[in-house]
Amino acid sequence: MTTAVGIDIGGTGIKGAIVDLESGKLLSDRIKLPTPTGGEPDDIVATVVEIITQLGVEPGVPVGVCFPAVVLHGTTMSAANVSQKWIGLEAEALFEKALGRDIHFVNDADAAGYAEVRYGAAKGVDGLVILTTLGTGIGSAIIYNGVLVPNSELGHLEIDGKDAEKKASFAAKERSRLSYERWAKRLQKYYSHVEALFSPDLLIVGGGVSKSYEEFLPLLSLRAPIVPAVLRNNAGILGAAALAVPQGDKSVTVPQASVAVDSPGTKPKAAL
Ligand code: BGC
């Protein structure tokens, strides 16, 4: 069994669990703590340390962490819905110092999309899969034949001179008190634009509202099939954990949740 830990940092909660990477099932309880008010880096790092401690993660078990920003070589490059202090911060190194272990650090929607391809709605689907998460913002993941193209940020496409997520996210629906029908008109415009640019083979819609997909997905008319995510609240955890271990890397295979990685200090190279 290959195990890893996934941590999903969001605007309201930070979740973590130990994952079986072959089945995509959680091997531990899912621990969720509230995101500290203000979302300051040191407070979020302390919360992640608390979750890893509560999970009782053994040394050497790979840890993947996902975060709602562009992540370039471990540095957070944007902060659309989090504290501005994250911009230009060497976040991966900050977590590693506090945790005393290597981590793999990725964008939250990239993690969710990768999880859906590996374990969920796009399992076995070839070609171009685009996942979007509809939440406070709009996150996106582009995956071609199982390979993730990171940091696509399709939530920030400019449509009619406006940042798309400001009009079409779930938060925008709530802010403007839109019915599902009126929100679906905005979604139609958004997904038609995405489809015109990328011609995906499959569109997946994630985020908390995807559990109510029957209210809005049937109202959309697109060439590609558009389906709800199936991993729901666990997608970020599963994807972050899976991306922390390169597929086919047998050096991280262990009988239980305790792991002996190849050699101390050696960081597994992941898919991005
Ligand atoms: C951010 C993305 C993130 C998405 C969902 C957007 O505002 O720019 O990096 O993936 O929200 O959390």
Side-chain angles (χ1 to χ4, degrees), residues 27 33 79 82 99 103 106 122 140 149 151 186 197 208 221 232:
L27 293 172
L33 297 178
V82 289
L99 289 164
I103 65 155
V106 293
S140 65
V149 180
N151 294 313
R186 295 187 183 189
L197 291 176
S221 165
R232 302 273 154 80

Side-chain angles (χ1 to χ4, degrees), residues 10 35 86 105 123 129 139 174-175 196 212 220:
T35 304
W86 289 92
F105 194 58
K123 193 172 175 194
V129 175
E174 297 290 276
R175 252 192 325 268
S212 310
L220 302 180

Side-chain angles (χ1 to χ4, degrees), residues 67-70 78 80-81 107-110 133 137-140 153 156 165:
F67 187 82
V70 171
S78 65
N81 294 299
N107 171 265
D108 58 349
D110 280 342
T133 57
I138 296 181
S140 65
E153 293 291 322
H156 300 296
E165 75 172 22

